Amino acid sequence: MSLIQIADNSRNRVPDSDKASLLKIADIKIGELSLEDNPNLLVFPRDLHRYGDEISESYIIAMRNDEISTGNIMGFVGVNDTQLDIKSRFAKVDEDDYFLHYMLQKVFSINLFDIKHTTRQEDIFDFLLYLFPHFLKKALAQGLFKKYRRFEYNDANIRGPIDVNRHIRENIPFRGTVAYSTREHSYDNEVTQLVRHAIEYIRTKEHGAIILNNDPETKGCITQISLATQSYNVRERMKVINQNLRPIRHPYFSAYTDLQNLCLRILRHESLKYGQEKDKVYGVLFDGAWLWEEYLNTILKPCGFKHPENKKQKGGFRMFKNELDDDAINKNSRRLYPDFWKDSFILDAKYKHLNAGVGREDLYQVVTYMYCKKASAGGYIFPYEKSEKPIVYQLEGHEGSMHIIPFYVPQKPIDANDRQWKWTNFVEGIEESEGALISVVSKD
């Protein structure tokens, strides 16, 4: 097993022994890495075409000769005997990636706790546990999964076709009952059983109780699953796993497809090792730009900011005062979708640092948003490894202010050892950064 560690938006040399495996994923768009062909590759956001960043058009890595380069994609991915660990650029190679873990826990609403890592496989497993409550709640929001099941009865209340062979075998001499079978809708089926097995498996893990008792909604979902799966038997785990190897294709219970996949990954964790299937791609990947935006939303939403969804055409505002003018001047309907906005402030989230300045198109875009909403302030926010104050520029004419806001991601002091720099130190530091951001955007 070969492990290559690299940060996002960086370059690294590749040993000759790993080139052949990495060529299976290099310079290939994520949208072309069919998730049906690689079912053990989880990519977030799950809807690859929903977000403006178009993660489906992104590459996991690019390769030139003996060097690979990364973009905004983070996480773990493996092919054959090669594993690639893509950290956020705020974590050194030999350190835990606190920033990535912190964003995941905030976005997926997990109570914060320090996870001790043992192996890279365990890192992936940690991520799977983070995601379980989110996908459980998303699936249960569509209702308990139900499907037709065949039940066999032997009584005097005939409600279906008579099973002649079983009737002869069980009811001769005749004793007043008839063997028959029925097809009935049932909540106790292989899908809900799979979820129940995943729940019981998570209970056995060190932080399982924290995850499953994360919030009242999660606990309520677990109760629903437990009540629906009265026939649960821990000894039938492999049977239930095998029954769920074919993905769910149900137009109403669409969210259960992702939950089913996640449960399989959790339950098969011990057997899913990199290189188990030749040329198959494994792992858990996150689009850093998407994750950064969703994390910022947990901070900015309580401050009154809206976070529009461009692809769903939700949360934006019109460019023209008269709605009919939208189509009259431009057939594409000129609705505007800033990353974050409220009447007084427009914010654009950038995951890449802005050391080289703001691009022309980005600058014009935010100024346009500010003008249409008569916002007195606009700006850009990006994660940064240095603690610096925002820079404010005054606009000509509109007289609004443009803010360049570096969001400080706490770094381990150079002279600190592992005992002096812990998860709690990082959390304290980043909570100060969150408070500083709230102070900036709350000034009208």
Side-chain angles (χ1 to χ4, degrees):
M1 183 68 65
S2 174
L3 174 63
I4 300 173
Q5 294 184 313
I6 188 172
D8 67 66
N9 294 286
S10 64
R11 299 176 181 274
N12 201 357
R13 295 181 66 86
V14 180
D16 290 338
S17 58
D18 295 309
K19 285 184 180 179
S21 293
L22 291 180
L23 281 172
K24 302 294 181 182
I25 59 174
D27 301 301
I28 299 176
K29 295 177 180 178
I30 290 178
E32 296 174 3
L33 282 173
S34 171
L35 300 186
E36 290 187 1
D37 293 339
N38 300 288
N40 293 316
L41 176 65
L42 298 180
V43 182
F44 297 90
R46 296 295 290 162
D47 188 345
L48 300 182
H49 301 279
R50 174 178 165 186
Y51 295 88
D53 298 22
E54 293 293 358
I55 183 177
S56 62
E57 299 295 312
S58 302
Y59 303 107
I60 300 175
I61 57 171
M63 183 181 289
R64 297 292 180 271
N65 299 321
D66 59 349
E67 186 178 72
I68 59 172
S69 59
T70 57
N72 287 340
I73 304 300
M74 297 181 286
F76 303 87
V77 63
V79 186
N80 299 326
D81 290 327
T82 300
Q83 182 178 343
L84 188 64
D85 176 5
I86 308 176
K87 295 175 176 287
S88 76
R89 62 181 181 275
F90 300 96
K92 295 181 175 60
V93 171
D94 58 345
E95 294 179 359
D96 288 327
D97 196 347
Y98 284 156
F99 185 49
L100 175 56
H101 276 270
Y102 184 84
M103 287 196 295
L104 286 172
Q105 292 180 0
K106 292 285 281 187
V107 169
F108 290 102
S109 303
I110 293 293
N111 291 327
L112 305 180
F113 52 87
D114 188 5
I115 290 185
K116 303 299 182 183
H117 303 302
T118 55
T119 66
R120 294 298 130 190
Q121 284 287 327
E122 292 303 320
D123 283 345
I124 296 173
F125 189 60
D126 292 343
F127 286 161
L128 298 180
L129 297 185
Y130 286 141
L131 304 176
F132 181 76
H134 171 79
F135 284 100
L136 177 66
K137 290 184 284 190
K138 187 176 179 181
L140 266 292
Q142 296 181 335
L144 271 172
F145 186 87
K146 61 181 179 180
K147 64 175 294 186
Y148 279 108
R149 286 185 59 195
R150 184 172 180 271
F151 292 90
E152 294 183 343
Y153 297 97
N154 189 10
D155 56 41
N157 302 314
I158 303 174
R159 290 173 291 148
I162 296 174
D163 187 338
V164 177
N165 291 335
R166 187 161 58 89
H167 178 72
I168 294 173
R169 185 173 62 252
E170 297 180 6
N171 296 319
I172 293 181
F174 184 66
R175 56 181 187 179
T177 59
V178 177
Y180 63 95
S181 62
T182 65
R183 288 184 75 244
E184 304 173 14
H185 264 127
S186 174
Y187 293 118
D188 193 354
N189 51 66
E190 70 273 13
V191 175
T192 52
Q193 282 287 338
L194 179 73
V195 179
R196 174 69 180 277
H197 279 275
I199 291 171
E200 299 304 328
Y201 181 71
I202 292 173
R203 289 190 200 277
T204 66
K205 298 303 171 183
E206 181 181 359
H207 298 289
I210 297 176
I211 292 170
L212 298 179
N213 294 288
N214 182 60
D215 57 73
E217 187 180 357
T218 299
K219 291 192 287 187
C221 290
I222 291 172
T223 299
Q224 287 186 65
I225 293 294
S226 299
L227 293 175
T229 52
Q230 296 296 316
S231 62
Y232 167 77
N233 186 338
V234 66
R235 290 186 294 273
E236 295 183 348
R237 182 160 295 168
M238 284 309 303
K239 175 185 174 182
V240 172
I241 289 174
N242 291 332
Q243 290 174 334
N244 281 273
L245 295 181
R246 178 176 295 181
I248 299 169
R249 292 290 183 265
H250 197 293
Y252 182 77
F253 294 107
S254 56
Y256 277 86
T257 304
D258 289 336
L259 179 61
Q260 180 193 42
N261 189 10
L262 184 66
C263 290
L264 286 172
R265 292 295 310 277
I266 290 172
L267 292 172
R268 300 172 69 200
H269 169 64
E270 299 300 330
S271 61
L272 277 178
K273 303 299 181 183
Y274 288 101
Q276 183 186 36
E277 296 182 72
K278 183 175 175 57
D279 295 340
K280 292 293 185 181
V281 184
Y282 303 81
V284 184
L285 297 173
F286 304 91
D287 178 12
W290 167 80
L291 192 60
W292 170 240
E293 275 193 35
E294 296 305 307
Y295 163 58
L296 286 178
N297 191 41
T298 67
I299 305 171
L300 297 174
K301 186 176 180 180
C303 298
F305 280 86
K306 299 178 178 64
H307 182 36
E309 297 180 72
N310 191 352
K311 293 298 177 179
K312 283 191 170 183
Q313 297 185 346
K314 291 183 177 181
F317 51 84
R318 294 198 307 271
M319 176 177 285
F320 299 99
K321 187 173 184 178
N322 187 341
E323 187 172 359
L324 296 178
D325 292 342
D326 287 348
D327 287 333
I329 195 168
N330 189 301
K331 298 303 181 184
N332 292 324
S333 184
R334 293 289 83 195
R335 290 195 72 83
L336 305 178
Y337 297 92
D339 288 340
F340 299 95
W341 71 276
K342 60 180 180 178
D343 289 340
S344 59
F345 214 126
I346 304 292
L347 267 178
D348 193 19
K350 297 295 182 187
Y351 181 67
K352 293 182 180 180
H353 59 70
L354 296 180
N355 288 0
V358 179
R360 174 176 172 172
E361 295 301 320
D362 289 330
L363 185 61
Y364 288 175
Q365 188 177 56
V366 169
V367 171
T368 300
Y369 295 157
M370 291 174 62
Y371 180 84
C372 290
K373 291 304 293 182
K374 295 183 179 179
S376 59
Y380 307 85
I381 178 170
F382 65 102
Y384 199 45
E385 62 273 11
K386 297 179 181 179
S387 179
E388 295 184 356
K389 293 183 178 180
I391 303 174
V392 183
Y393 303 90
Q394 294 298 318
L395 294 174
E396 178 71 18
H398 179 67
E399 297 185 355
S401 58
M402 184 66 69
H403 300 244
I404 308 298
I405 309 171
F407 182 92
Y408 177 55
V409 178
Q411 303 292 294
K412 178 180 177 180
I414 296 176
D415 57 347
N417 56 39
D418 290 337
R419 290 185 177 180
Q420 294 172 316
W421 177 251
K422 297 180 180 180
W423 170 255
T424 52
N425 302 113
F426 177 86
V427 172
E428 289 174 2
I430 202 166
E431 286 179 346
E432 290 182 8
S433 298
E434 292 172 354
L437 173 60
I438 291 171
S439 178
V440 170
V441 300
S442 297
K443 295 176 182 179
D444 294 333

